[in-house]
Amino acid sequence: MSTVATTRSGKGGTGPRLRTIGSVCEELREEFPDISVSKIRYLEDQGLVAPRRTRGGYRLFSPDDVERLVTILRLQRDEFLPLRVIREELSGPGTSAERAKRRSVGVGGREDEIDLSELVERTSATPDFVRQLEEYGVVVSRVEAGEHLYRESEADIVAACGRLARFGIDARHLRTFVTAAGRQAALVEQLVAPGLRSRSPERRKGALEDLESLARVAQELSHLLLLRDLRATAERTS
C-alpha cells in the first residue's frame, strides 16, 4: 500500500485522519485499477460522496467518506448497479458498513438472523407487506418458538420489493423473480453439486469458489438480458 498524504481535523490534532483526493485515489487503485480523480469528482457531482472542503477548496476525505466510496465502487463493479439505484441503496436504512457486511457474506458464508421487528425497522416495510412476501415465497424465514427469524440478506430483498411496490408491483407479481432465480440456481447447482458433496475439503472449497464465480456471471447475464428487453420496449414506444 502506498504512503498517503493525510491531515488531521480539529484542535490539537485529535480529529479523524483526513485524506486528499489524490491519496484516496492512489490507495484504492489496488482494488479498483480504473479509479481516477475525475471519477471520484464525478461521484461527488452526482451527490454520492460529500467530502469536506478546506478554505482553499481542496477536498478532504474522512474514513467514513472513504468507506462510502469503496461501497459505491463495489456496488458498481460486483452488482452492476446504476448510480441512481446506488443512491437509493445508500439512503436506505442501516449504515454502509452494515450493508457491505450483508453483501460480503457470499453464497458460502453464514449470516446472522434478525426478527420481524428488526426486519421492519431496517426496511421501513410494514409487517403485513412482509407477510405477503412470505406467503408468495419471495421472502423466507424459519420459525423458532413461534417467532419468525430471517437471514440478514432477506432485509435487502424486502427493501428491493418495497421499491418495486411503489411502482404498483405487489407480492404475487414478484413470484416471477423467484421462479426465474430458482431456475438459474438449479442450473448452476448441476454444475457444482459433485464438488459440494465431496468429502475432500480442497475440492469442496474449489466448488464454493466456482459457485461464487457462477453467481456473479449469472447475475451479470440476467442484468444484461433484462436491459436488452427493456431497451427494445423503449424503442418500440418511441
Side-chain angles (χ1 to χ4, degrees):
M1 187 70 65
S2 59
T3 302
V4 296
T6 60
T7 185
R8 286 186 180 274
S9 64
K11 295 181 180 180
T14 59
R17 188 175 292 272
L18 304 177
R19 292 178 169 88
T20 64
I21 190 171
S23 66
V24 169
C25 185
E26 187 65 26
E27 178 186 0
L28 299 183
R29 187 162 283 123
E30 181 177 342
E31 181 176 355
F32 308 99
D34 62 343
I35 191 68
S36 65
V37 169
S38 61
K39 182 171 184 176
I40 297 175
R41 286 175 177 165
Y42 176 73
L43 293 175
E44 181 185 4
D45 292 340
Q46 296 300 306
L48 287 160
V49 291
R52 67 191 68 182
R53 296 288 190 111
T54 67
R55 291 183 179 179
Y58 293 101
R59 297 169 178 83
L60 293 177
F61 291 77
S62 69
D64 287 344
D65 293 328
V66 176
E67 178 188 316
R68 182 180 176 90
L69 181 58
V70 168
T71 299
I72 293 167
L73 295 172
R74 285 174 179 166
L75 288 173
Q76 282 187 301
R77 181 194 64 192
D78 300 338
E79 305 196 27
F80 315 100
L81 297 182
L83 294 182
R84 176 182 57 78
V85 176
I86 291 176
R87 187 181 297 107
E88 293 178 356
E89 287 278 322
L90 295 180
S91 63
T95 65
S96 59
E98 290 171 341
R99 286 188 295 271
K101 176 189 173 188
R102 293 198 296 271
R103 293 177 181 280
S104 65
V105 170
V107 297
R110 293 187 177 275
E111 294 183 77
D112 293 334
E113 293 182 320
I114 57 178
D115 60 17
L116 178 60
S117 62
E118 186 170 353
L119 180 69
V120 167
E121 182 179 353
R122 286 190 183 188
T123 62
S124 299
T126 64
D128 185 58
F129 182 61
V130 176
R131 282 192 290 269
Q132 290 179 34
L133 293 175
E134 282 200 73
E135 179 183 348
Y136 288 99
V138 182
V139 169
V140 297
S141 68
R142 71 179 186 88
V143 180
E144 182 177 297
E147 182 178 37
H148 285 254
L149 298 175
Y150 306 82
R151 291 182 178 181
E152 284 194 314
S153 58
E154 296 296 313
D156 294 322
I157 294 174
V158 172
C161 291
R163 291 195 295 272
L164 287 173
R166 293 200 292 267
F167 292 90
I169 302 178
D170 61 26
R172 60 196 172 108
H173 295 138
L174 293 171
R175 279 291 305 169
T176 301
F177 294 90
V178 177
T179 302
R183 289 173 177 170
Q184 293 174 24
L187 175 61
V188 171
E189 181 183 357
Q190 293 177 21
L191 301 174
V192 298
L196 291 176
R197 289 195 293 264
S198 174
R199 295 184 178 181
S200 167
E202 184 175 340
R203 188 180 178 194
R204 177 172 170 78
K205 180 182 177 183
L208 285 171
E209 291 174 351
D210 288 345
L211 193 61
E212 293 276 7
S213 299
L214 284 166
R216 287 193 293 270
V217 176
Q219 181 183 44
E220 179 181 9
L221 178 59
S222 297
H223 177 71
L224 293 172
L225 292 173
L226 176 62
L227 285 181
R228 184 183 66 185
D229 287 350
L230 296 179
R231 193 177 296 115
T233 298
E235 290 172 352
R236 286 196 300 270
T237 57
S238 62

